[in-house]
Amino acid sequence: MNNDEKKILIKIIAIVLVVFYFAMPPHNKIAQWGFVFNNIARFFESSPANMEKTEYLFHRNNAIYLVRMDNKIAALREMDKAVATFPVSLPDEQLYSLYSERAKVRLYYGDYKGALTDYLRNPNPNMNDMLKIAMLFKKEGKRKTAVSYCNKIIEMDIRAYAGYACMADVYADAGKYESSVTIMDLLIDRCPNKARYHWDRAMYKEKMGDIKGAEEDRQKADELSAGYVNTNSITEEALKPKVLDLTIS
């Protein structure tokens, strides 16, 4: 075998190895390398005091990388470590935020009871978290409590779509479609020019048997936004997120 043939063989082997590497799990290689570098950086941290202060962030970031690598067990374990190593010297608000982040990871993996427990540890949840809390209570059959959280969203912003969509969904879950339509009426009275709101009301009208009213709402949605069709539900997405919306710190 001459030198040229050897070079060709080496290139072929290298290409095969690269293809093999990217074909093997985890398929998110960017996350894999991020995880590796996060751990290398931790290994070379020179300040013990700084290590103690940032250990929870190290575990939190590891958890996010592991979610992206689709390693559920390790990701949940890292989030537990993040909570366990949170420094008592830091403000409680940061701990509450960490609980909400662990709730997101648990929710992403379908641990509804664990997610609800963590969300409730935060005394000041934001609107997005309130929507998830409401949907989690609805899933447990506690509709009255769910509605109270929907109301809290509206109290924060009287035009908040999430609040009305939340409440309409809970009433629909109980088979009270007329109430769902009434709730959407209130939202549309306040914000009449949103195609999505008319589309949602059409869905509830259809479920209560008002086919003509449903068609009128869909026509209105089309007038406001040509060709409008909505297949995404924020209430469904609240319980079954397609992605984990956490970033590396």
Side-chain angles (χ1 to χ4, degrees):
M1 183 181 293
N2 59 40
N3 288 337
D4 288 340
E5 289 173 333
K6 288 180 180 178
K7 289 179 181 178
I8 292 172
L9 181 59
I10 291 171
K11 287 180 180 178
I12 291 172
I13 292 172
I15 291 171
V16 170
L17 289 174
V18 169
V19 171
F20 182 75
Y21 169 72
F22 280 101
M24 291 294 290
H27 297 297
N28 190 329
K29 300 303 178 183
I30 294 175
Q32 184 182 35
W33 281 107
F35 177 82
V36 169
F37 286 126
N38 188 49
N39 283 268
I40 290 174
R42 187 68 181 174
F43 181 78
F44 286 103
E45 175 61 59
S46 59
S47 169
N50 193 52
M51 285 187 71
E52 183 178 352
K53 187 176 181 180
T54 61
E55 184 175 2
Y56 83 99
L57 279 177
F58 163 71
H59 291 299
R60 173 197 176 273
N61 290 340
N62 264 355
I64 296 172
Y65 286 126
L66 287 163
V67 169
R68 295 174 184 176
M69 293 157 61
D70 199 26
N71 192 331
K72 172 184 176 179
I73 294 174
L76 291 170
R77 184 168 58 240
E78 285 294 307
M79 282 306 293
D80 288 343
K81 288 180 180 178
V83 171
T85 57
F86 187 84
V88 295
S89 60
L90 294 181
D92 288 343
E93 287 72 18
Q94 288 182 233
L95 177 59
Y96 299 149
S97 178
L98 184 61
Y99 280 129
S100 292
E101 290 180 336
R102 186 171 67 174
K104 287 183 179 181
V105 176
R106 287 177 164 177
L107 185 61
Y108 181 78
Y109 284 119
D111 178 8
Y112 298 122
K113 287 187 179 297
L116 181 57
T117 297
D118 269 342
Y119 276 126
L120 293 176
R121 292 179 188 272
N122 185 350
N124 298 302
N126 58 35
M127 281 189 186
N128 288 332
D129 287 354
M130 283 185 184
L131 174 61
K132 292 169 185 173
I133 291 170
M135 292 299 101
L136 287 166
F137 273 122
K138 182 196 78 171
K139 187 170 181 64
E140 288 192 348
K142 298 177 180 177
R143 298 190 185 101
K144 186 175 181 180
T145 306
V147 167
S148 71
Y149 275 91
C150 300
N151 270 319
K152 287 180 182 180
I153 297 173
I154 297 172
E155 287 170 5
M156 292 175 72
D157 181 354
I158 199 169
R159 297 189 176 197
Y161 168 67
Y164 295 91
C166 171
M167 196 177 301
D169 181 87
V170 175
Y171 277 99
D173 186 65
K176 298 179 178 180
Y177 302 119
E178 289 186 16
S179 296
S180 299
V181 170
T182 300
I183 291 162
M184 295 310 298
D185 288 345
L186 291 173
L187 177 59
I188 291 171
D189 284 344
R190 289 169 178 147
C191 307
N193 299 318
K194 298 287 186 179
R196 183 171 191 173
Y197 304 171
H198 289 276
W199 187 272
D200 283 6
R201 188 170 66 178
M203 174 182 65
Y204 294 123
K205 283 182 177 180
E206 190 169 63
K207 287 183 177 180
M208 64 180 278
D210 182 6
I211 305 303
K212 180 180 178 182
E215 183 57 30
E216 289 174 350
D217 261 333
R218 290 198 179 100
Q219 288 177 359
K220 183 62 177 180
D222 186 65
E223 289 175 15
L224 294 169
S225 179
Y228 184 84
V229 175
N230 181 38
T231 58
N232 296 320
S233 166
I234 64 168
T235 53
E236 290 179 8
E237 177 70 14
L239 284 179
K240 298 179 180 179
K242 297 180 178 64
V243 296
L244 180 68
D245 61 340
L246 293 178
T247 57
I248 302 299
S249 296

